[in-house]
Amino acid sequence: DWPPGLVAARLSEEPVERRLVGRWAALAGHPEAEALLAAQLRDIEPSVQESAILSLGHLHRPTARDELKRLLRQGTERQQALAAEGLTAWSPEELEPLVQHPAAQVRSAVARRL
């Protein structure tokens, strides 16, 4: 069950509250976490989108990993860097192919995580 008030917080006008709900759901492994984070990837606030990308890494679900890999292929350079950081939750081997990535932000994220 969601803790009391959390349903309202996921729809809050405050981006920090929406980010925290997504992070909590991912870290708690809540069954609705993936759907919540998918919605946050489309949030109007970039900070909520970015937090959702990082939170996907905490889920340890194959579909979350697939979404991170999709963002590495199709996202903006910032989204790609965050997706690379999210992949570190699986293994350092996930980052190995990204060492030669054309985007400087991605290479920087990989260097920090390795």
Side-chain angles (χ1 to χ4, degrees), residues 23-103:
R23 181 64 51 99
W24 174 85
L27 292 172
H30 193 277
E32 293 182 38
E34 201 162 352
L36 172 65
L37 294 173
Q40 287 186 342
L41 288 174
R42 297 181 305 275
D43 196 282
I44 193 167
E45 174 62 42
S47 66
V48 175
Q49 295 172 15
E50 292 176 357
S51 181
I53 294 168
L54 291 173
S55 294
L56 283 170
H58 295 295
L59 287 180
H60 296 283
R61 296 179 188 167
T63 51
R65 183 176 164 201
D66 292 345
E67 180 62 20
L68 290 171
K69 288 186 174 191
R70 184 193 69 76
L71 286 166
L72 271 167
R73 291 187 311 274
Q74 300 173 354
T76 65
E77 187 171 337
R78 175 74 176 142
Q79 290 171 330
Q80 291 173 347
L82 292 167
E85 289 186 39
L87 283 173
T88 61
W90 276 272
S91 73
E93 289 78 26
E94 293 285 347
L95 299 180
E96 190 174 328
L98 303 176
V99 171
Q100 300 296 324
H101 196 279

